[in-house]
Amino acid sequence: MRLRRLEVEGFGPFRSRQIVDFDAFADDGIFLIAGRTGAGKSSILDAVCFGLYGGVPRYDGGEKRLRSDHSGPDDVSEVVVEFSTPTGRFRVTRSPEYLRPAKRGGGLTKQAAGVGLDEWTDAGWIGRSARAVDVANDLDEILQLSREQFLQVILLAQNRFSEFLLANSKDRQTLLRRLFGTQRFEDVQARFDERRRAAEQSLGARTATVMARLEEAERLVAGADLAGDAGESGDATESTADEQASDAAAPTRTRTLTTEERLDELRRAKARADYRAERRASERDEEEKRSAAADAALAAAREERRDQVERDRARTALELLDAEESQLSEAREELANARSAEILRAPIQAATRAAAALADAAEGARSARSAWDLFGIVTDDLDGWGAQRTAEIGAWQRARILEEESPTLRAELQRAEADIVAVGARMDAAEVERGAAPAMLARLTDERDEARRAADRAPDLFAATAAAEARWAASQEAARLDDAHRIAERALAETTAAHADAQSALARLRARRLDGFAGELAAGLADGDACPVCGSLEHPSPAPHTDPVSAADIEEAERLRDEAAQRERDAAAASSTLRAELAAAVARADGRTAEQAAAERDAATAAHAESIAAAELQRVLDARLQELAARTQQLEAAHAADSAELASARETRALLLQRATESESTIAEARGDAPSVAERIAASTAQVAAASALADAIAEHARREAAARDAVEEQRQALAASAFADAAAAEAALRSAAAQAALDARITEHAVRREKERAILLELELRMLPDELIDLAPVELAAAAARSAWTSAVDEAARAAGTAERLDGLIESAASEHARTADEAAAFETIRGLADTIAGRGANTRKMTLETFVLAAELEEIVEAANRRLGDMSTGRYQLQHSDALAARGAASGLGIVVFDAFTGQSRPAQSLSGGETFLSSLALALGLAEVVTARAGGIRLDTLFIDEGFGSLDGDTLDVAMRTLDELRQGGRTVGVISHVEAMQEQIPAQLRVRATPEGPSIIEAR
């Protein structure tokens, strides 16, 4: 993961937009973020962390003052972070929540936090996600680092640098848990503790269940008097004094007996309960037989008593039936007369009905004559007159129908006139649109052709835009390379001057060396020794050695000259490379300046956009032309249809006019002098009905008169043949069918009842039952006593059987639960041992939990990785060691870190290190932690590293060691950013970002 660019506006101490190009420091590999205290150096790292994760470590747990206090109400607060990973290049734009002026109503309103994630493609930046949750999920997938991991492996934030080294085991465990996500091992521990508690509760519950079953069974035995031999003797044997004393002591014994012994005691009591249940069942069966015999005797006595009562009732009923015999004789005579008169019922009723019908017919004839006379029509042939008038009415019916349809016909005629007018108006309106269509078609065709010509230029304009973009990029690159080349030229001049100075210094040293050879030789002379030059043994005037220059001085000067020469060659090579790159960039820019290239790019982009818009306009105009052609066809088809519809409407109107004329003529002829045809038909119909009614009434009267004469004659002949003197006597004897049936049923019922009672009485008299009623009280008392004895025996047997069954169930339940208790106890011991070991209890002498054990393994790897650097940084003196020693007073242990001092051969706490030693150890540990976390995160590549911590606590030598370590971190293309205000580091690190507070208050970022 490599950071490439950072843009900050309205964030922390920065008000205006500040841009940091991290790619510019890729060649240097290490750069310094310098500035005065409080200028905002650490705010750069805060902005990076906020852009990627939406939070700043220094504000954890406090007020999140992210928006710059220097920002005005309308100023924007925004952080833009560009970074790349093996999966691509991405840009995060994030703004914090802040108050801004309300657009309406005045005052301030809350501006919600916003975030967006873009991805670079061949087509440029495209949006990938815009919701906070989606951006967070995408960044988790892209970065593969949580915020805590990011702060430990990429951004070593201020106040957190030495936190890991100096933390106690508990705090170090909290940090490692966040980095390595080992909460799952704590969950495993919790699950094992839960299983241990569940197993303990289950075992306790099962043991309690066994005890409860045993105690319940013993209470049942004591309550049922089944202890010892007390339950065996029944009513015939009594317990001895010894047995009673033994029974009294039984509860005390059960408290000292084992579970198995108590179960054996209960099983013996169960055998006694079974014996008692068998005896009670035998007694119940005997009592049941006695009760059945008593019930049978009671049933026989009750049956004889019922027969006695039935016999006495039958005697009384027969006496009552004999007393009713005189009344039955009158009923028989009445029934015989009614049956004789029934023969005359039809002739009498026929004569009566014929007389009534004759009277009705005479009244009807008089009414019909009165109705006919009202019309004043005189005729002798009513039927002929009615037939003639009916024929005339039939002829008038068609005229009546025409008269009823006349309003409809007039409405149809009006609709036909309206249709002609509507079709004509529609045709006129369509004609106007048809006339305008050709001009519209020509105008749209011209516009479409113009748009097509503009759209056809899109490929050429796109190529021109790409070329302009390339020239603009090349001009930007040329400007950058020009600056770099000037810097390289200055560096070349400086290195050339330095090389010349080193060469001059070497020449001066060599001259001084030559000049001082005589003095050097003279310094080595002694009296009596031969001079190496002249061989003389005397040295009267040796040369003085005032400016000594040794061979080592010459070698050192030669080394410095060679190094200066090498730097000069490197600077010359760098300048040459930049000069070639600058020439290539200028050639690619085609001689344009950055402003010219930007103007050409903007113009080409605008022209290409217009061409794209023209293509869209062409599609719109093509669609409109197609719509216009379709509309023209619709107008032509509508014109033809309207012409046909107009002709049809005119033809319909002519036909309707003809029908109206013919209808009026027919109606006038049929109406005559009447107001309407319908009224004339109604009047004539009433006259015909009156004539027909009169004719029918005259005929009906004649028919009814003949029928009345025939009915009177038939009645006279029937009376003559009967026993009745006249019709009145016959009518008096008549009875309805229901009355006759009632008389017959009464006679038949009396006879049947009398025969039935005689049969019942005969059967009972033959049994020779005593006249006095049998007394049931003694028999009922005997049966009740036998049933009570049987019920008591049933209850006793049920209680005995229930006691035996319940005791058996309790014994079986207690025995089975007791058997399972042993298996559960063994399983509980296993679970408890595992849970205690995982939780750092019991036999776990180190008191390390499972999570601590896993983190200890990770810590050992971290310490090993840290020692690979700490040995070099401390010249072999210090090594970090993982310590699993027990902490005092039961505190968390297993994650300790101590420092081994090779000078003393002893290990000591990390807190005993000096400030500089603490920094070096913390740096080594942080870098080791970064390596391990990176490996655990899937082996992701980390190309950017920031360190924000006190290099000011280091002396010169230690600072050099730290700088060498930072130089090693640059290997493989990694870029290291260091925040410090130490002047020595500013001298050693040429690539710098300087954060400077302006006199107005806000800070700005300047690159060097």
Side-chain angles (χ1 to χ4, degrees):
M1 183 265 189
R2 177 184 293 275
L3 290 175
R4 295 189 173 274
R5 184 182 178 89
L6 173 67
E7 297 181 18
V8 183
E9 181 177 1
F11 182 90
F14 308 111
R15 176 182 179 181
S16 61
R17 183 168 289 265
Q18 304 296 310
I19 300 176
V20 179
D21 186 5
F22 294 113
D23 286 342
F25 303 109
D27 294 336
D28 296 283
I30 184 170
F31 64 95
L32 179 68
I33 303 176
R36 300 184 64 182
T37 301
K41 301 186 294 298
S42 297
S43 295
I44 296 177
L45 305 189
D46 291 343
V48 172
C49 188
F50 173 73
L52 294 178
Y53 294 98
V56 176
R58 74 166 80 183
Y59 292 136
D60 287 347
E63 182 183 3
K64 296 178 174 58
R65 296 181 58 85
L66 302 178
R67 178 170 169 82
S68 175
D69 292 336
H70 304 291
S71 297
D74 296 323
D75 291 342
V76 175
S77 290
E78 183 179 74
V79 173
V80 180
V81 180
E82 289 186 26
F83 64 94
S84 61
T85 68
T87 61
R89 185 166 180 172
F90 304 92
R91 180 176 67 191
V92 182
T93 303
R94 192 185 298 271
S95 59
E97 181 183 274
Y98 62 91
L99 296 177
R100 60 168 177 80
K103 296 180 179 179
R104 289 177 295 188
L108 297 177
T109 184
K110 183 178 290 185
Q111 174 67 40
V115 63
L117 176 63
D118 302 326
E119 183 176 3
W120 177 261
T121 64
D122 294 338
W125 290 107
I126 61 171
R128 176 162 175 167
S129 52
R131 293 194 311 150
V133 63
D134 296 332
V135 172
N137 293 333
D138 289 344
L139 288 177
D140 285 343
E141 180 180 353
I142 294 168
L143 298 175
Q144 301 182 26
L145 290 173
S146 66
R147 195 186 80 163
E148 292 296 334
Q149 292 173 329
F150 181 81
L151 294 176
Q152 289 294 331
V153 302
I154 293 180
L155 197 158
L156 305 182
Q158 192 173 18
N159 301 325
R160 289 181 175 231
F161 200 73
S162 60
E163 175 183 336
F164 186 62
L165 174 67
L166 302 179
N168 56 32
S169 289
K170 182 179 180 180
D171 295 337
R172 190 174 291 117
Q173 178 179 359
T174 302
L175 177 60
L176 291 174
R177 175 186 298 166
R178 290 198 302 265
L179 293 176
F180 295 103
T182 57
Q183 294 88 343
R184 62 186 184 277
F185 297 105
E186 189 177 32
D187 296 339
V188 171
Q189 176 183 335
R191 287 197 294 272
F192 267 96
D193 283 339
E194 181 63 28
R195 289 182 60 185
R196 178 188 60 78
R197 287 191 295 270
E200 185 176 6
Q201 292 174 0
S202 176
L203 180 61
R206 194 173 296 283
T207 303
T209 300
V210 172
M211 293 298 104
R213 296 288 188 272
L214 291 175
E215 291 173 0
E216 185 178 0
E218 289 166 349
R219 286 195 299 270
L220 181 61
V221 169
D225 197 18
L226 294 173
D229 296 332
E232 302 296 336
S233 59
D235 296 331
T237 307
E238 295 182 356
S239 300
T240 63
D242 294 338
E243 291 172 341
Q244 291 175 356
S246 176
D247 292 343
T252 303
R253 290 201 312 271
T254 58
R255 287 194 293 269
T256 60
L257 295 178
T258 65
T259 301
E260 291 294 341
E261 291 172 342
R262 293 172 70 181
L263 285 172
D264 291 339
E265 289 287 342
L266 290 173
R267 290 188 181 98
R268 287 191 289 273
K270 169 61 171 55
R272 291 190 289 274
D274 291 339
Y275 174 72
R276 177 183 292 180
E278 291 177 1
R279 288 187 55 191
R280 296 296 183 265
S282 176
E283 294 173 358
R284 178 199 59 200
D285 295 340
E286 292 295 331
E287 292 298 334
E288 184 178 6
K289 293 177 181 178
R290 296 190 186 94
S291 177
D295 289 342
L298 178 60
R302 286 175 175 171
E303 184 179 359
E304 290 183 355
R305 182 179 174 85
R306 282 196 300 272
D307 290 343
Q308 286 180 318
V309 172
E310 181 65 14
R311 178 196 62 191
D312 295 340
R313 186 202 62 76
R315 289 176 179 173
T316 303
L318 191 57
E319 291 175 355
L320 293 174
L321 290 173
D322 290 340
E324 293 176 356
E325 184 61 31
S326 60
Q327 299 177 2
L328 265 297
S329 298
E330 295 177 358
R332 292 190 188 94
E333 182 179 357
E334 182 181 358
L335 179 60
N337 291 334
R339 288 174 176 173
S340 298
E342 190 65 30
I343 299 172
L344 300 175
R345 182 186 295 275
I348 293 173
Q349 291 179 348
T352 303
R353 285 195 300 270
L358 179 60
D360 292 341
E363 181 62 28
R366 285 193 298 274
S367 298
R369 174 61 66 179
S370 298
W372 171 253
D373 291 342
L374 291 175
F375 292 108
I377 300 174
V378 179
T379 180
D380 295 334
D381 187 4
L382 292 172
D383 293 335
W385 182 89
Q388 180 182 357
R389 185 53 57 89
T390 300
E392 292 175 353
I393 291 171
W396 298 336
Q397 289 295 333
R398 182 175 179 276
R400 180 184 63 78
I401 295 173
L402 292 175
E403 185 180 51
E404 293 175 351
E405 294 177 350
S406 179
T408 303
L409 183 60
R410 286 195 297 272
E412 291 179 357
L413 185 59
Q414 292 175 357
R415 283 196 297 271
E417 294 288 350
D419 290 343
I420 292 172
V421 174
V423 173
R426 190 166 64 244
M427 290 181 67
D428 294 340
E431 190 63 28
V432 173
E433 188 176 358
R434 286 177 62 207
M440 176 65 74
L441 180 63
R443 183 176 63 80
L444 290 178
T445 301
D446 293 340
E447 293 179 0
R448 189 269 315 274
D449 294 341
E450 182 66 24
R452 178 182 294 152
R453 286 190 293 273
D456 291 342
R457 297 178 57 213
D460 296 336
L461 292 174
F462 178 76
T465 302
E469 184 72 27
R471 287 195 298 273
W472 176 79
S475 67
Q476 295 289 107
E477 181 67 14
R480 186 187 68 80
L481 291 173
D482 185 47
D483 294 339
H485 181 253
R486 285 197 295 271
I487 295 172
E489 286 294 325
R490 287 197 297 271
L492 177 59
E494 292 173 357
T495 55
T496 301
H499 183 207
D501 292 343
Q503 186 68 35
S504 299
L506 177 60
R508 287 193 299 271
L509 284 176
R510 284 175 175 172
R512 289 169 56 198
R513 173 74 169 164
L514 291 174
D515 293 341
F517 272 162
E520 183 178 347
L521 290 173
L525 294 176
D527 293 338
D529 293 336
C531 175
V533 176
C534 63
S536 175
L537 299 176
E538 296 179 359
H539 315 292
S541 180
H545 194 194
T546 60
D547 189 14
V549 175
S550 65
D553 294 335
I554 298 297
E555 292 177 357
E556 178 63 20
E558 289 176 346
R559 185 185 64 79
L560 292 176
R561 181 207 56 189
D562 293 342
E563 290 180 354
Q566 181 61 41
R567 285 194 295 272
E568 182 183 13
R569 287 192 295 273
D570 293 342
S575 177
S576 177
T577 301
L578 289 172
R579 187 181 305 107
E581 292 178 354
L582 176 60
V586 171
R588 290 197 303 274
D590 200 14
R592 270 75 164 180
T593 65
E595 292 75 10
Q596 293 172 342
E600 291 180 357
R601 180 196 61 180
D602 295 340
T605 301
H608 181 254
E610 292 176 357
S611 178
I612 296 300
E616 180 63 26
L617 178 60
Q618 176 191 344
R619 288 192 290 271
V620 173
L621 292 174
D622 284 338
R624 291 186 60 186
L625 284 171
Q626 292 177 359
E627 293 175 357
L628 182 58
R631 180 58 182 166
T632 302
Q633 293 178 357
Q634 292 177 357
L635 290 173
E636 292 297 333
H639 179 74
D642 289 342
S643 298
E645 185 177 355
L646 180 60
S648 176
R650 289 172 177 171
E651 181 180 358
T652 301
R653 182 184 62 179
L655 292 174
L656 290 173
L657 285 173
Q658 182 180 356
R659 284 179 55 194
T661 302
E662 294 175 354
S663 176
E664 288 295 333
S665 175
T666 302
I667 292 171
E669 180 181 355
R671 186 171 58 240
D673 297 333
S676 66
V677 177
E679 292 180 5
R680 187 177 185 185
I681 290 175
S684 298
T685 301
Q687 293 171 1
V688 171
S692 177
L694 179 58
D696 292 341
I698 293 172
E700 179 65 17
H701 182 268
R703 189 176 64 80
R704 291 297 181 183
E705 187 176 12
R709 289 195 298 270
D710 295 339
V712 170
E713 180 59 24
E714 184 179 357
Q715 176 183 336
R716 186 188 62 77
Q717 293 176 0
L719 285 172
S722 67
F724 297 100
D726 50 21
E731 289 179 355
L734 283 174
R735 297 289 184 273
S736 65
Q740 293 182 34
L743 289 172
D744 187 53
R746 179 182 172 190
I747 295 169
T748 302
E749 181 185 4
H750 182 272
V752 170
R753 288 176 58 196
R754 191 168 184 279
E755 290 300 324
K756 178 182 177 183
E757 296 297 340
R758 287 182 63 188
I760 292 173
L761 183 58
L762 178 60
E763 182 180 357
L764 294 176
E765 290 291 357
L766 291 175
R767 294 183 59 183
M768 302 298 291
L769 295 174
D771 292 335
E772 293 184 3
L773 293 178
I774 298 173
D775 187 6
L776 296 178
V779 184
E780 289 176 347
L781 289 175
R787 179 170 294 276
S788 176
W790 173 65
T791 302
S792 299
V794 169
D795 293 340
E796 289 294 332
R799 278 195 295 272
T803 299
E805 183 178 357
R806 185 180 174 195
L807 184 59
D808 181 63
L810 291 172
I811 293 172
E812 289 297 327
S813 176
S816 61
E817 291 291 333
H818 179 62
R820 285 192 290 269
T821 300
D823 298 334
E824 286 199 8
F828 168 69
E829 291 299 329
T830 302
I831 292 296
R832 182 172 63 180
L834 283 173
D836 289 346
T837 300
I838 292 173
R841 300 186 298 264
N844 189 341
T845 58
R846 293 293 179 181
K847 305 301 181 184
M848 293 175 63
T849 65
L850 177 61
E851 182 186 18
T852 305
F853 179 79
V854 174
L855 292 178
E858 301 288 355
L859 183 59
E860 288 179 353
E861 291 191 30
I862 294 170
V863 169
E864 181 181 355
N867 285 331
R868 287 195 291 269
R869 288 188 174 86
L870 183 58
D872 295 336
M873 295 166 67
S874 64
T875 62
R877 177 177 179 180
Y878 294 118
Q879 289 286 312
L880 299 178
Q881 292 180 345
H882 164 238
S883 173
D884 58 0
L886 289 175
R889 293 184 296 276
S893 60
L895 297 177
I897 293 179
V898 296
V899 180
F900 176 75
D901 190 344
F903 287 7
T904 64
Q906 301 293 325
S907 296
R908 53 193 175 101
Q911 289 80 0
S912 65
L913 295 174
S914 65
E917 293 168 342
T918 299
F919 174 78
L920 293 179
S921 301
S922 299
L923 177 60
L925 188 61
L927 296 176
L929 177 61
E931 289 183 9
V932 176
V933 171
T934 301
R936 294 295 182 271
I940 61 176
R941 178 179 175 84
L942 302 179
D943 295 319
T944 305
L945 175 66
F946 291 96
I947 300 176
D948 182 8
E949 189 58 37
F951 290 90
S953 62
L954 306 181
D955 57 30
D957 294 338
T958 308
L959 182 60
D960 290 340
V961 173
M963 288 301 301
R964 286 201 305 272
T965 303
L966 296 179
D967 283 338
E968 293 176 1
L969 295 177
R970 295 188 298 174
Q971 298 176 0
R974 178 183 292 174
T975 301
V976 181
V978 180
I979 295 180
S980 179
H981 56 272
V982 178
E983 293 184 1
M985 297 191 70
Q986 297 181 23
E987 295 174 358
Q988 296 184 43
I989 303 176
Q992 296 181 12
L993 282 176
R994 298 196 64 84
V995 182
R996 179 172 60 85
T998 63
E1000 294 79 12
S1003 296
I1004 59 175
I1005 302 174
E1006 298 173 336
R1008 292 182 55 187

